């Protein structure tokens, strides 16, 4: 069983619901250690005092905030916790909104909310079912791991799901990030119509299981191949940009290819061997019985 990473209460109005927070997702990146090139020597990172050159224990490290050039204010974990002792164990709901109103850019990471204890299951279920009936998402704030988060809570079947979110001032404006913001494209009517047709021909129902992290799969195969001294298969290069003069023809060819993929008959799954074995055993049974009765 997974361990909870935060415990506290969700409060709305005068009602408080004890909850536990669990990670709902996991990364499956390949774990690497670092080595010096052409040697088997591991590279390790140490917390070292830059003045003395000596290693420092993690328990002896405090945080310093620079308030002016070279001047720092030092804060330890107790001092950081003291400015929000109650909030570090409370998730206060400020409002309820329609889910469609939230720009997906604000979402950060997903967590499951579980009941705080067996005694509080009914209160938890009340909040979950009321939110499902109202079809609303709760918006609140909580302090977790030394940081305050905006959070969205929604009902999802039998559980509540919490999404940590960015605050508005943490979202960068495109104009301040991009070298230049492209103006609205002035595509030719025919190109635009075929582009919409291509989108329609590639549209399907959302099935998350249809997608897989194939890069991690290839990295694992690369590791296995090198471990056995085998040759490594090099992946294909990325496609080159489509030239403006070739755009219309490329769109038409893409629509045709997408239409063929949709029209192609789906491969039938091979018949299960177990069913064949059962049928065969049923047919063989009478013969076996008859053979036993013949000598009598």
């Amino acid at each position: 069983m997974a361990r909870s990473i935060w415990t506290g209460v969700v409060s709305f109005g005068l009602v408080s619901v004890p909850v536990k927070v669990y990670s709902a997702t996991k990364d499956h990146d390949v774990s690497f250690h670092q080595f010096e090139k052409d040697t088997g020597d591991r590279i390790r990172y140490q917390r070292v005092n830059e003045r003395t050159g000596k290693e420092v224990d993690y328990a002896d490290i405090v945080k310093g905030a620079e308030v002016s050039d070279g001047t720092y204010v030092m804060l330890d974990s107790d001092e950081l916790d003291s400015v929000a002792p109650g909030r570090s164990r409370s998730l206060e709901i400020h409002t309820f909104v329609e889910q469609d109103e939230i720009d997906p850019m604000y979402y950060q990471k997903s967590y499951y909310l579980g009941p705080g204890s067996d005694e509080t299951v009914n209160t938890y279920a009340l909040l979950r079912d009321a939110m499902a009936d109202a079809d609303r998402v709760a918006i609140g704030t909580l302090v977790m791991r030394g940081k305050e988060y905006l959070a969205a809570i929604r009902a999802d079947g039998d559980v509540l799901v919490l999404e940590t979110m960015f605050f508005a001032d943490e979202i960068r404006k495109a104009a301040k990030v991009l070298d230049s913001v492209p103006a609205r494209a002035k595509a030719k009517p025919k190109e635009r119509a075929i582009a919409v047709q291509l989108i329609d021909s590639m549209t399907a129902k959302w099935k998350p299981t249809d997608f897989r992290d194939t890069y991690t799969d290839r990295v694992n195969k690369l590791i296995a191949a090198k471990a056995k001294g085998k040759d490594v298969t090099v992946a294909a290069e990325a496609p080159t940009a489509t030239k403006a003069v070739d755009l219309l023809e490329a769109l038409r060819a893409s629509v045709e290819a997408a239409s063929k993929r949709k029209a192609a008959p789906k491969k039938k799954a091979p018949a299960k061997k177990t069913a064949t074995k059962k049928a065969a055993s049923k047919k063989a049974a009478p013969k076996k019985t008859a053979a036993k009765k013949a000598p009598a």
Side-chain angles (χ1 to χ4, degrees), residues 98-276:
E98 298 276 356
Q99 187 164 354
D100 291 344
E101 294 181 56
I102 303 173
D103 186 332
M105 188 177 287
Y106 282 87
Y107 290 126
Q108 202 174 33
K109 190 172 181 181
S110 302
Y111 298 87
Y112 289 125
L113 282 182
S117 65
D118 292 339
E119 292 75 24
T120 60
V121 169
N122 288 340
T123 315
Y124 173 95
L126 171 65
L127 175 59
R128 177 200 62 200
D129 296 342
M131 287 180 61
D133 291 343
D135 194 21
R136 295 290 187 276
V137 175
I139 303 296
T141 51
L142 81 157
V143 176
M144 182 169 64
R145 293 174 172 173
K147 175 177 168 56
E148 183 169 30
Y149 291 94
L150 187 64
I153 301 174
R154 58 184 172 83
D156 185 8
D158 293 333
V159 299
L160 290 169
V161 174
L162 180 146
E163 311 272 358
T164 53
M165 305 171 71
F166 293 105
F167 287 99
D169 59 359
E170 293 180 303
I171 303 294
R172 294 176 175 176
K173 299 293 184 184
K176 294 183 178 181
V177 177
L178 303 182
D179 293 332
S180 62
V181 179
R184 189 173 179 83
K186 296 180 180 178
K188 296 176 182 178
K190 185 174 285 188
E191 291 175 342
R192 189 165 174 174
I194 297 178
V196 172
Q197 188 180 348
L198 175 58
I199 292 170
D200 288 339
S201 65
M202 295 178 66
T203 299
K205 288 186 177 181
W206 165 238
K207 295 181 181 178
T209 52
D210 286 348
F211 304 92
R212 183 178 173 84
D213 179 4
T214 57
Y215 174 73
T216 299
D217 290 340
R218 289 195 293 270
V219 171
N220 284 323
K221 287 181 180 178
L222 170 62
I223 293 169
K226 290 204 71 173
K228 296 178 180 179
K230 295 182 178 180
D231 293 333
V232 177
T233 304
V234 180
E237 293 290 334
T240 55
T242 304
K243 295 178 181 179
V245 293
D246 302 326
L247 182 57
L248 186 59
E249 190 56 41
L251 286 167
R252 283 174 174 160
S254 299
V255 170
E256 186 179 347
S259 299
K260 284 181 179 178
R261 282 196 298 270
K262 273 195 170 182
K266 293 183 179 179
K267 293 181 179 179
K268 291 183 178 180
K272 292 182 179 179
K273 292 181 180 180
T274 51
T276 309

Side-chain angles (χ1 to χ4, degrees), residues 32-36 39-44:
F32 289 104
H33 295 294
Q34 293 185 320
F35 294 82
E36 184 178 357
T39 75
D41 302 335
R42 281 280 300 274
I43 303 297
R44 298 185 185 276

Side-chain angles (χ1 to χ4, degrees), residues 14-74:
L14 298 177
V15 179
S16 296
V17 184
V19 295
K20 293 180 180 180
V21 175
Y22 302 84
S23 291
T25 59
K26 64 177 181 178
D27 294 324
H28 47 60
D29 296 336
V30 179
S31 179
F32 289 104
H33 295 294
Q34 293 185 320
F35 294 82
E36 184 178 357
K37 191 175 181 179
D38 298 326
T39 75
D41 302 335
R42 281 280 300 274
I43 303 297
R44 298 185 185 276
Y45 293 95
Q46 296 177 316
R47 296 176 290 271
V48 176
N49 183 317
E50 65 176 19
R51 180 179 59 83
T52 64
K54 295 181 178 179
E55 190 173 357
V56 180
D57 290 337
Y58 183 79
D60 294 329
I61 296 177
V62 296
K63 296 181 178 180
E66 189 171 12
V67 292
S68 62
D69 188 22
T71 304
Y72 294 85
V73 170
M74 303 299 179

